[in-house]
Amino acid sequence: MPPIEPLKAGKNAVGVKAPHTMTERLLILLSRYREASIAVVAIVLVIYFQVGSDGGFLSPQFMSVVLRDTGRLGLIAAAEVMLMITGEIDLSLSAIFSIAPYVMALMSVTWGVPLAVGAVIGVLIGVLVGAINGIITVRFRVPSLITTVGMLFFLQGIVVSIYNSQPIVAPVEQPFNAIFGQSLYQPSDALLSWHGVTAFTPFLWTVLIVLALALALNRTTFGLHTIATGSNIIGAREIGVRADRMKIYNFMIAGGCAAFAGIINTAQFTSADPQAGSPFLTLQAIAAAVIGGTSLLGGSGTVIGALIGAFVVASLNNGLVMIGAQATVSDIYLGAAIIAAMILSIQVDRLRTRRRL
């Protein structure tokens, strides 16, 4: 029996290189907990805006605005994460965000269909559009970027043609509106009352859906197959994963989430605007996903990080205005954050690879 060789310096018992510097330790921590870095950024931003606004940033009224924006953006960002993990992307989500509530409001005004029924139909439209995007992408081998850009223009053309490009004032049907977005909160109301809760319903719905998606990604076979599809699609197919089907399913989830986000937005403002979902909304959602720790290369991502990233984006958009800065300045910080997040993600992946050598 040959003698057992001693462990080489710098490696542990399983042959993984041990970290030597503080930078490596930090990168290892970020590789294990991708939400950690963006969570720190979010905390710093809150402190900065709270001090800069003389305590106004964390007031219930202003946080209601920030968290509502976070909810709308975070739901679309979480939808993008599910696709980005599989190595795909969907640029048509902003158009789905517009057309689903527009159909809901139109059915209610024209035929008297209850908003709840119209909302279900709107979500089903989003799921159907997602399925079409997925089938075109995986069956006809059209890159998802091209597929969804085409769908974006197609849906935008439809939604501006339905009602002569005019916004539709949706009827108020309680408790539907209050449950799904309309704020009944007044400064005299208790924050923990029903009226106080309605100030945050878009965010609360997003939190529930994000937690469900996180559970599906981390605790189910569906999540395992989704990650495997983006990590190594050939290897995934060899072990029996139906990769094409997984991509279509995630396109459908993304479409349904975008449609639901649009319905919440319409319930909040009691108006369906054909221009509500500009392409910039999707780009901001992708930015939130990337700075939240999701790789554009596929194979890894976190919906919770995307939600925190959406909070950062919403805080920048609203907080800078509150302290007197120009609204366009937020785009500068957002662009820098995306580049920094991608550099960090690549460095973390390189470190993970080196430690396995």
Side-chain angles (χ1 to χ4, degrees):
M1 179 178 178
I4 299 176
E5 294 183 3
L7 292 176
K8 295 181 179 180
K11 288 194 175 184
N12 58 22
V14 293
V16 177
K17 292 183 179 179
H20 294 288
T21 66
M22 184 61 67
T23 301
E24 285 191 347
R25 292 189 180 95
L26 178 60
L27 290 175
I28 291 169
L29 177 65
L30 295 178
S31 69
R32 293 177 179 173
Y33 308 100
R34 287 182 172 265
E35 302 90 349
S37 58
I38 193 61
V40 172
V41 172
I43 294 171
V44 171
L45 279 179
V46 169
I47 295 173
Y48 174 75
F49 288 134
Q50 178 70 358
V51 174
S53 63
D54 295 327
F57 185 78
L58 290 178
S59 65
Q61 293 83 0
F62 195 79
M63 283 308 298
S64 172
V65 174
V66 174
L67 292 180
R68 280 173 172 269
D69 287 352
T70 301
R72 178 180 68 251
L73 189 60
L75 192 51
I76 299 177
E80 287 287 2
V81 167
M82 300 298 293
L83 278 173
M84 290 164 67
I85 289 176
T86 65
E88 305 294 345
I89 199 166
D90 192 340
L91 298 182
S92 69
L93 295 186
S94 58
I96 298 174
F97 177 89
S98 295
I99 197 171
Y102 204 74
V103 170
M104 176 191 73
L106 184 64
M107 292 175 63
S108 178
V109 171
T110 306
W111 300 310
V113 177
L115 289 180
V117 176
V120 173
I121 294 173
V123 171
L124 291 177
I125 289 173
V127 173
L128 176 62
V129 172
I132 294 172
N133 283 336
I135 291 171
I136 293 174
T137 298
V138 304
R139 298 301 183 192
F140 297 97
R141 305 304 175 189
V142 179
S144 58
L145 181 67
I146 304 301
T147 300
T148 56
V149 166
M151 185 61 72
L152 168 68
F153 286 109
F154 180 75
L155 294 180
Q156 281 186 333
I158 290 177
V159 75
V160 298
S161 303
I162 292 177
Y163 207 68
N164 298 322
S165 301
Q166 297 300 314
I168 301 176
V169 178
V172 177
E173 296 179 6
Q174 301 296 6
F176 177 86
N177 287 76
I179 292 174
F180 289 100
Q182 184 184 16
S183 176
L184 305 177
Y185 177 73
Q186 300 293 332
S188 58
D189 294 328
L191 194 58
L192 296 180
S193 65
W194 167 242
H195 284 191
V197 171
T198 61
F200 304 97
T201 45
F203 178 72
L204 295 176
W205 276 111
T206 297
V207 169
L208 287 175
I209 294 173
V210 165
L211 289 177
L213 292 176
L215 184 64
L217 274 176
N218 298 312
R219 294 287 186 268
T220 67
T221 303
F222 173 84
L224 180 63
H225 287 184
T226 295
I227 295 171
T229 298
S231 298
N232 186 345
I233 190 169
I234 296 176
R237 285 170 174 161
E238 289 179 350
I239 62 174
V241 175
R242 296 182 176 180
D244 289 350
R245 185 173 296 184
M246 295 307 302
K247 290 188 177 186
I248 294 174
Y249 287 160
N250 281 290
F251 270 107
M252 294 169 67
I253 291 173
C257 287
F260 187 56
I263 288 166
I264 289 176
N265 189 67
T266 294
Q268 175 182 351
F269 297 107
T270 64
S271 176
D273 189 344
Q275 304 296 331
S278 68
F280 189 66
L281 177 65
T282 301
L283 294 179
Q284 282 198 324
I286 294 172
V290 171
I291 66 177
T294 297
S295 173
L296 283 170
L297 304 178
S300 65
T302 162
V303 290
I304 294 177
L307 180 58
I308 301 174
F311 175 77
V312 169
V313 175
S315 297
L316 285 172
N317 290 340
N318 294 280
L320 289 170
V321 175
M322 189 179 193
I323 63 175
Q326 293 183 356
T328 53
V329 175
S330 62
D331 293 342
I332 298 174
Y333 291 105
L334 186 57
I338 295 172
I339 295 173
M342 283 306 301
I343 293 174
L344 180 63
S345 176
I346 291 172
Q347 293 304 314
V348 168
D349 290 340
R350 285 179 177 175
L351 176 63
R352 188 187 293 115
T353 302
R354 288 203 308 269
R355 293 184 71 231
R356 290 171 180 161
L357 295 177

